[in-house]
Amino acid sequence: MKTWEENVRKVTPYTPGEQPNRPQMIKLNTNENPYPPAPGVAEVLRHPDEDALRRYPDPAASVLVNALAENYHVKPEQVFVGVGSDDVLAMAFMTFFNSEKPILFPDVTYSFYDVWADLYRIPYHTCALDENWHMNPEDYKQPNGGVIFPNPNAPTGVEESQAIEEILQANPDVVVIVDEAYVDFGGTSALPLLKKYENLLVVQTFSKSRAMAGMRIGFCIGNEKLIHYLNDVKFSFNSYTMNLPSQVMGVEAVRDDAYFKATTAKIVATRERIKKELNELGFTFPDSKANFIFASHKEVPAEELFRALREADIYVRHWNKPRIANSLRITVGT
Ligand code: PMP
């Protein structure tokens, strides 16, 4: 290794689901929404204000922040937006997980958490989910530098209920981040707990329930102090993160609550129908509250199914990792 290479920051990056683009494919591998975004989004695309692109966008993305504050009945000072929730999470890791003690998250969870931890040199410890893929709140009562978990969890789709408040009660001295990327498909948000816990940060995304993965919009809601600290880090990194079209189209998506409710309800109905049909085909899976199902077959190994499906141009997600190698994460389509 050359000398200069010794001091390079070396990381093993996150591997996103592949994005094939084949005419006949059935794409169920990245939990995208099968319906288009709200009609107002297309309206903005049809009438672009290209002259506005000469200028830098509003660095605070105020139009979108205000629309979100109104929608979720919080103050604009409690809202932070980013380029997808991955950006929000990356900023939150950097801002809030700055202790010598390890942060805690489940052993089976969103596989970006350990990547950010490694990137920022944050020590971490994973807590094993039980045999039904549930978190044990007792695991989160050990000394730590912060806690993060998705609810519902990914890739299992399993939702936690009273465990969340138990974890918050046990951890008043660190920031607890609940990643609610999949909460809009029948889950219960931790947002009401913000009134009781100033160290809670709730992260959500437009990529799934609002069908805008291509625009890259994520946000989080928390106590004003948390958001202030988060903005200080974000503005030390890159002022103009969110482009103008994303800000404007994001507002259209947030304002159309009727469309949001109708499309998420359709996805939930399809999910429940798929559960019955997968069951009849010999699959088992934990009960999912997300827009995907984490299924394994009683007889056919997941890897074999994965390959055969791929040959048929049907894309699902499979990880060759401990505990989950015999399961496929199948996104709910149409
Ligand atoms: N959190 C979880 C649990 C996810 O599965 C994803 C999707 N990969 C994200 C966050 C990030 O999604 P996005 O950056 O598109 O908002």
Side-chain angles (χ1 to χ4, degrees):
M1 197 187 285
K2 291 269 198 313
T3 311
W4 62 263
E5 270 187 284
E6 282 168 21
N7 291 319
V8 167
R9 184 179 295 268
K10 294 176 198 75
V11 285
T12 309
Y14 170 76
T15 317
E18 59 183 325
Q19 289 296 94
N21 194 9
R22 296 163 65 87
Q24 298 305 321
M25 71 176 178
I26 297 179
K27 193 173 176 305
L28 306 173
N29 69 331
T30 49
N31 299 338
E32 289 148 334
N33 193 312
Y35 302 107
V41 175
E43 206 44 41
V44 175
L45 275 174
R46 273 194 287 272
H47 305 285
D49 178 7
E50 58 266 40
D51 191 55
L53 298 180
R54 288 188 300 109
R55 303 243 170 96
Y56 283 104
D58 171 10
S62 308
V63 286
L64 183 56
V65 163
N66 291 340
L68 286 164
E70 198 176 308
N71 190 61
Y72 290 98
H73 311 293
V74 294
K75 293 185 214 155
E77 293 77 20
Q78 289 180 266
V79 181
F80 174 88
V81 299
V83 184
S85 58
D86 279 342
D87 180 41
V88 175
L89 289 164
M91 290 294 136
F93 266 61
M94 190 183 252
T95 311
F96 303 119
F97 297 159
N98 190 33
S99 151
E100 310 268 287
K101 292 184 202 150
I103 59 165
L104 305 177
F105 51 84
D107 63 338
V108 175
T109 195
Y110 185 30
S111 49
F112 221 138
Y113 299 158
D114 55 347
V115 175
W116 285 311
D118 286 337
L119 173 66
Y120 299 141
R121 318 254 201 269
I122 302 164
Y124 66 91
H125 174 74
T126 58
C127 308
L129 297 176
D130 70 16
E131 65 283 4
N132 300 314
W133 306 110
H134 275 287
M135 294 165 75
N136 179 359
E138 294 305 317
D139 294 341
Y140 296 83
K141 295 178 183 173
Q142 56 182 307
N144 68 72
V147 175
I148 177 152
F149 55 90
N151 195 48
N153 195 8
T156 62
V158 170
E159 183 180 43
E160 298 298 341
S161 46
Q162 66 280 22
I164 297 182
E165 185 151 15
E166 201 179 329
I167 291 168
L168 280 161
Q169 269 168 1
N171 287 285
D173 299 329
V174 297
V175 174
V176 176
I177 303 178
V178 184
D179 176 355
E180 295 188 347
Y182 301 104
V183 81
D184 294 326
F185 303 101
T188 302
S189 176
L191 284 171
L193 294 173
L194 288 175
K195 290 202 174 71
K196 275 167 84 176
Y197 300 95
E198 62 168 28
N199 58 327
L200 166 65
L201 192 73
V202 177
V203 181
Q204 294 192 6
T205 178
F206 283 47
S207 299
K208 322 290 178 181
S209 55
R210 296 187 192 274
M212 293 176 78
M215 284 314 293
R216 310 304 299 123
I217 306 174
F219 64 98
C220 65
I221 300 181
N223 178 279
E224 287 167 72
K225 230 197 237 178
L226 286 185
I227 300 303
H228 189 86
Y229 282 125
L230 202 46
N231 270 312
D232 282 350
V233 168
K234 173 239 148 99
F235 282 104
S236 307
F237 215 87
N238 179 353
S239 316
Y240 305 107
T241 43
M242 185 177 284
N243 65 60
L244 178 62
S246 291
Q247 296 185 25
V248 179
M249 287 184 225
V251 171
E252 293 300 324
V254 178
R255 294 224 172 115
D256 199 338
D257 200 46
Y259 184 85
F260 168 74
K261 289 203 172 103
T263 48
T264 49
K266 276 202 280 190
I267 292 166
V268 169
T270 310
R271 177 187 71 208
E272 296 309 310
R273 178 164 60 81
I274 294 174
K275 283 179 187 171
K276 287 201 194 88
E277 297 191 8
L278 282 177
N279 219 332
E280 282 163 20
L281 287 168
F283 285 92
T284 55
F285 41 85
D287 193 36
S288 170
K289 284 280 179 139
N291 67 336
F292 55 81
I293 295 170
F294 194 54
S296 54
H297 196 267
K298 287 176 193 149
E299 283 141 35
V300 193
E303 180 135 25
E304 196 177 317
L305 281 168
F306 176 75
R307 278 210 222 102
L309 286 167
R310 209 162 184 283
E311 258 164 47
D313 256 347
I314 301 170
Y315 294 85
V316 297
R317 195 94 199 255
H318 175 249
W319 288 270
N320 234 331
K321 282 190 171 177
R323 294 192 77 184
I324 60 170
N326 200 33
S327 299
L328 298 174
R329 191 195 65 189
I330 308 163
T331 302
V332 174
T334 50

